[in-house]
Amino acid sequence: MISVVIRNKNQADALQFLLKNLTERYADDVDEIIVLDNLSTDASLSIATQYHARIVTIEQYSFGGSANICAKAAKNPIVVIFSAHSYPVSHDFFKLIKAKFQENPNLAGLRCLHQPNDYKNYINNISAKQDPNKSGLIFSGSAFSRTVWEQHPFREDVPTFEDKEWTVRVLNAGYDIDFVPAIFAYNIKRTKKQLFFRFKNDVLGNYQLWHQDVSFFQALKGLLGSLSNNIKHFLVEVKYAFLRFFYLIKFIMNKPKQF
């Protein structure tokens, strides 16, 4: 069977939908659901209890640390990680995952499909060795082997990309990472503050893992490009705001015959 672990913080509505989805559509495929909660102050815990999920509380959150807690808490050999704002879509989501692990005993993890880049790399057969970023694991909608994790825990000293770092490390150790055509949805709207937090972690992660350095010229180019794009966007919005206004005035003064 499969263990599903959900990383959550104050996402009660999304968590309820995910748990409803899991318990109503995939009850025969999943025999353990764990909610890894980061000190939520909304109704998340009561919702998790309502759906009989096991609750594990984490106080000091980190990406790699939370992934390790997920793996340690799970009882089954296959672990699937979701964020509360993601959920499986295809009816055979977990059956496909289970079949892949049964076919390949050397399999460390599977990346499911949720965006065009996933599907393009899957169809074009671009392996995780060729593109560990876009074909490697993503820890919302990926499955991994708990047995491999026991030998290769996730690093907790990386600010982000703990899934990609693990992908590279287990591939170098001789294991396989593959795609599985199991489809899930990822639905989140981040605030400007959250986007900036993600930006900072991405800069650090890209430098540490992919060795992507940043020069002063690139930083300045990014600033000017961002300002230019925002000004263009503002002017376009103003233009179409006036166009909509004038069209409505024209419509009010010359309404067509109703059917």
Side-chain angles (χ1 to χ4, degrees), residues 164-179:
K164 308 303 187 298
E165 188 281 329
W166 193 76
T167 294
V168 173
R169 187 152 41 92
V170 299
L171 286 173
N172 289 337
Y175 293 100
D176 299 324
I177 299 285
D178 202 356
F179 276 112

Side-chain angles (χ1 to χ4, degrees), residues 22 68 107 124 148 168 176 223 228 251:
L22 289 171
N68 279 328
L107 192 60
N124 292 325
V148 176
V168 173
D176 299 324
L223 172 63
S228 175
F251 171 80

Side-chain angles (χ1 to χ4, degrees), residues 18 27-28 59 65 76 88 99 106 120 134 203 212 232 240 252:
L18 171 56
D28 294 336
E59 296 184 6
N76 289 311
N106 197 51
K120 288 178 181 178
K134 294 179 182 178
V203 170
Q212 295 180 8
K232 289 179 182 178
Y240 281 97
I252 292 170

Side-chain angles (χ1 to χ4, degrees), residues 230-244:
N230 282 320
I231 291 171
K232 289 179 182 178
H233 179 75
F234 172 75
L235 293 176
V236 170
E237 287 295 317
V238 170
K239 172 186 173 181
Y240 281 97
F242 276 105
L243 288 175
R244 288 190 295 268

Side-chain angles (χ1 to χ4, degrees), residues 100-108 145 148 175-176:
K100 278 280 193 178
F101 275 101
Q102 289 175 338
E103 292 168 5
N104 184 0
N106 197 51
L107 192 60
S145 164
V148 176
Y175 293 100
D176 299 324

